[in-house]
Amino acid sequence: MEDILCIGCGAPIQTKHKDKMGYTPQSALEKGLETGELYCQRCFRLRHYNEITDVQLTDDDFLRLLHEVGDSNALVVNVVDIFDFNGSIIPGLPRFVAGNDVLLVGNKKDILPKSVKTNKVTQWLTERAHEEGLRPIDVVLTSAQNKQAIKELMEKIEQYRKGRDVYVVGVTNVGKSTLINAIIQEITGDKDIITTSRFPGTTLDKIEIPLADGSHIYDTPGIIHRYQMAHYLSAKHLKYVSPKKEIKPKTYQLNPEQTLFLGGLGRFDFVSGDKQGFTAYFDNELKLHRTKLAGAGEFYNKHVGSLLTPPSKQELPTFPKLVKHELKIETKIDVVFSGLGWIRVVGPAQVAAWVPEGVAVVTRKAII
């Protein structure tokens, strides 16, 4: 049985333990073996009903897979989310990949405004990677969802792997499995083999894709970042942290002591400085609300779950409190609400960013 794997998530198929990964009813197993399309029950429900079932996969499981990558002589394809670069970096990846070459793939390029030049984003990603200690041999921008630059990516993989296996790695929610599906379609013509969704942690074990020369492309599970915004939202609201369409920036002319609420998920305070424009880059459906800084805390407590959503009233009992991060801005930078989006600040200005406890706030050189 251990040789039979779910083609959707890579988990070993088993028929005895409903709450363990790889479970499928005996009747579904027999049918799947006949048709050659064998999915575990979790993948079947996710694909057909958009239902997610929790399974136990520990941080140790992810570390074991990363060590396996480091112990192999392989090309490492590291997929990051251009929209959430800081939230999609794997902590310590340079240490894990050891001496292996890394090809950096910036996914979701279609989410950025069309006015942004590819060369500029590529340079920006390279600089951010260097800051994290990564020295990629090349950078490719793709859109797995729209199948943009998949052919170019395959050519780069072929150029750099030099007959070696390929490991595709990334944190949850960067679109890695969607990218793998696009690669499979490019190689074989088969569509949507691997289970994909907005839910973190869809791929549960290594998935092997054979190449013509006997080597393999391995799709690995997404590494879980505990401070990603996605981990605090229900299925209904994951769309706000995984935009599917080009984001339309919104510029707000703010006076000092004004506040912008990002739904109920975050808050941006312009504490002091000259009146200036602040440009917000978030999912187009996320409602932004401007109000006075004085009394903003009381305003949030009164309206979160109603005027300020998400979260909904039902999600409030488990939603973390917002934590304040004070920032002094001297030059044009992005203030990033990890996993949600960012606000470009021209400065100089004293600002504060509020995010759910455990979620990161970072500043970076402006991408746009």
Side-chain angles (χ1 to χ4, degrees), residues 41 77 80 91 93 104 136 166 181 196 210 227 270 272 314 322 332 354:
Q41 188 174 71
V77 176
V80 297
L93 182 63
L104 188 65
V166 178
N181 274 330
T196 64
Y227 59 81
F270 179 23
S272 64
Q314 292 75 21
L322 297 188
K332 185 164 73 172
W354 299 68

Side-chain angles (χ1 to χ4, degrees), residues 82-87 124 128 229 262 268 281-282 325 327 333-345 353-355 359-367:
I82 297 172
F83 186 67
D84 181 25
F85 176 80
N86 299 87
W124 183 89
R128 300 294 77 72
M229 190 78 76
L262 319 172
F268 177 83
Y281 297 83
F282 298 97
H325 299 256
L327 304 163
I333 63 162
D334 292 334
V335 176
V336 182
F337 299 74
S338 189
L340 186 62
W342 68 93
I343 293 177
R344 187 181 64 205
V345 181
W354 299 68
V355 288
V359 171
V361 170
V362 292
T363 57
R364 67 185 185 197
K365 179 182 174 183
I367 190 172

Side-chain angles (χ1 to χ4, degrees), residues 50-81:
N50 210 32
E51 291 178 7
I52 191 73
T53 308
D54 285 335
V55 292
Q56 296 306 309
L57 200 62
T58 67
D59 288 354
D60 288 340
D61 294 324
F62 292 120
L63 287 174
R64 175 179 54 79
L65 280 155
L66 278 180
H67 280 298
E68 190 178 319
V69 174
D71 293 340
S72 307
N73 177 24
L75 172 66
V76 178
V77 176
N78 180 199
V79 185
V80 297
D81 181 349

Side-chain angles (χ1 to χ4, degrees), residues 309-324:
T309 58
S312 63
K313 288 281 189 195
Q314 292 75 21
E315 293 165 329
L316 279 180
T318 56
F319 192 74
K321 67 175 183 179
L322 297 188
V323 176
K324 183 181 184 181

Side-chain angles (χ1 to χ4, degrees), residues 202-223:
T202 306
T203 304
L204 297 178
D205 208 338
K206 224 172 37 174
I207 294 175
E208 298 182 5
I209 299 140
L211 297 170
D213 63 0
S215 303
H216 291 83
I217 294 178
Y218 295 104
D219 180 24
T220 62
I223 312 302

